[in-house]
Amino acid sequence: MTTGGTTGGARIEGNTLLLGDGVRIRFIRTLRLPESGTHALPPGLGEFPLRRVEDYPDTVPAAWRAKGGVMLPVYLREAMWLAFGGSAEPAALQVGVGKVCAVSGRPWTGRLARDPQNYVVLPRQPWLDGINSGDGTVRQFVAVPLGLGATVEGQVTGEETTGGVQLQAFPLEPGALAAWREANAPRPAPPRLGAPAFPAAPGSAPAVYGAPPTAGGYGAPPPAAMPMAAAAPGAAPVARRRASPAMGLGVGGSMRQEVYRDDRPLTAWADNPAARVFVHLVTPPEWRRITGEDAPPSPVDRAAYTQAGLPWYDYYDENAADLPAAGPLSQVKPVGEWLGEDHAPWTPPAPGQVTPLGNAPRPGDPVHDGDW
């Protein structure tokens, strides 16, 4: 690999995280899947708000100031997925959960590797909903507090010292990038529509999770037909643990989603990343204490969503090859085995509700990178 490409650093634009000159990432709220069976892709229920750590120097923990980055609020057992829509040019994106690679299951190194592959390739990978479990599936990202052993980090490494999400993007080296630009027009991500449970601002179009976000639409109260779920048992005591406001990611149910194999040689990528960022996950009470803002409402009840006839998705790319299961990740247990059974009702989608999919931003506020 050779060094190349310009580096635009990390910055935020609204609720979108930009890495380098072309990678766009949004963190999407979604329905949490049952921990048994394999399911279609759940819909988006709005974006998590992003804030820069450096904007709250007097209220964030000192360790967060040292790491820099951004933060977002998340409820106990809330699920999320990462949307890469709007990432126009190729990039190799590393995704760490507590500094465990979500693709390979290996410890975070900050260097690209191929055996096993420790990154996803954009824009071919339109989104990532969980850790790579092989055979065309991933296990859903689900938020849990540190200290219980339920995170991917805790189960793979035996320790929970990092938490959060780590992201690092590498551009193509200059020669490969020039060749790609000559041969390809930007490839938009397929649309993955959000639910109308969190409507866009009056007069604006619904959000399409393959396009840059529209203004507004986050945190609005759901319509009466979409009741909010009650807090999960035990959520309040965990949220009151003021000494440890940080959260990490465990896993939930399985869904049909491939993590695609890179078909370029490793030498096509630059040696140095365009940008990296640490994403802190914070409990809603701590979010309010740190920022003065209310966290978004708790997730929408799953049965009500399905009964309303809203969409699920099934994405397939016939020209891409799926990565095999990552060994260290195959032994990760779902959060229900650590936190107890989930008693929320589950109503599977009807066949007609599953929709098949497939076949340059202005600068935002720069994000400070720190020591992690």
Side-chain angles (χ1 to χ4, degrees):
M1 293 185 292
T2 59
T3 301
T6 58
T7 58
R11 55 204 188 278
I12 59 172
E13 181 183 302
N15 293 328
T16 300
L17 179 63
L18 294 90
L19 300 182
D21 294 325
V23 173
R24 301 176 66 92
I25 303 169
R26 285 169 294 129
F27 299 84
I28 307 298
R29 306 183 78 206
T30 190
L31 300 178
R32 184 161 47 86
L33 300 174
E35 293 177 357
S36 60
T38 301
H39 306 273
L41 300 178
L45 299 176
E47 302 164 356
F48 287 94
L50 283 181
R51 301 290 181 267
R52 299 189 308 168
V53 168
E54 62 204 87
D55 290 335
Y56 303 92
D58 298 328
T59 52
V60 297
W64 293 18
R65 294 198 302 271
K67 292 177 180 176
V70 298
M71 57 186 174
L72 62 84
V74 64
Y75 287 86
L76 173 69
R77 283 184 166 180
E78 186 170 14
M80 71 168 63
W81 51 277
L82 278 58
F84 308 132
S87 300
E89 295 189 334
L93 179 69
Q94 293 183 308
V95 180
V97 287
K99 296 185 75 172
V100 172
C101 178
V103 176
S104 70
R106 302 292 179 86
W108 179 273
T109 65
R111 304 287 293 178
L112 298 182
R114 184 59 64 80
D115 187 21
Q117 183 175 313
N118 66 353
Y119 57 94
V120 294
V121 179
L122 310 185
R124 163 155 276 171
Q125 191 81 37
W127 40 64
L128 185 67
D129 289 61
I131 64 171
N132 173 31
S133 48
D135 299 322
T137 67
V138 301
R139 300 295 301 274
Q140 189 176 41
F141 291 135
V142 176
V144 287
L146 301 186
L148 302 178
T151 62
V152 175
E153 175 188 4
Q155 295 187 57
V156 171
T157 70
E159 298 180 329
E160 291 184 318
T161 59
T162 303
V165 177
Q166 298 76 43
L167 300 167
Q168 183 165 256
F170 291 78
L172 288 172
E173 59 87 20
L177 179 59
W180 183 90
R181 285 174 173 170
E182 183 177 350
N184 296 274
R187 175 185 176 182
R192 185 170 169 187
L193 298 177
F198 297 91
S204 64
V208 177
Y209 296 136
T214 57
Y218 181 79
M226 300 293 292
M228 306 308 295
V238 171
R240 286 197 295 267
R241 291 181 181 178
R242 297 292 295 274
S244 180
M247 304 275 278
L249 290 179
V251 302
S254 177
M255 72 188 76
R256 292 184 291 276
Q257 181 178 101
E258 294 181 323
V259 180
Y260 297 127
R261 185 188 304 276
D262 187 8
D263 56 9
R264 293 181 176 87
L266 201 58
T267 53
W269 302 107
D271 279 333
N272 297 324
R276 68 171 197 164
V277 68
F278 195 108
V279 183
H280 304 266
L281 309 180
V282 60
T283 63
E286 286 297 312
W287 176 262
R288 179 170 179 79
R289 185 190 65 80
I290 291 170
T291 67
E293 305 173 27
D294 287 329
S298 59
V300 174
D301 177 81
R302 299 180 305 199
Y305 184 94
T306 298
Q307 290 166 2
L310 300 173
W312 294 69
Y313 299 93
D314 192 7
Y315 179 71
Y316 177 66
D317 186 337
E318 64 181 5
N319 297 315
D322 183 38
L323 289 175
L329 300 179
S330 63
Q331 303 302 315
V332 175
K333 298 178 182 178
V335 299
E337 295 194 24
W338 297 82
L339 304 182
E341 184 178 356
D342 174 18
H343 297 287
W346 169 250
T347 302
Q353 286 179 259
V354 179
T355 302
L357 300 173
N359 266 11
R362 69 177 187 273
D365 296 326
V367 176
H368 172 70
D369 182 30
D371 182 12
W372 46 271

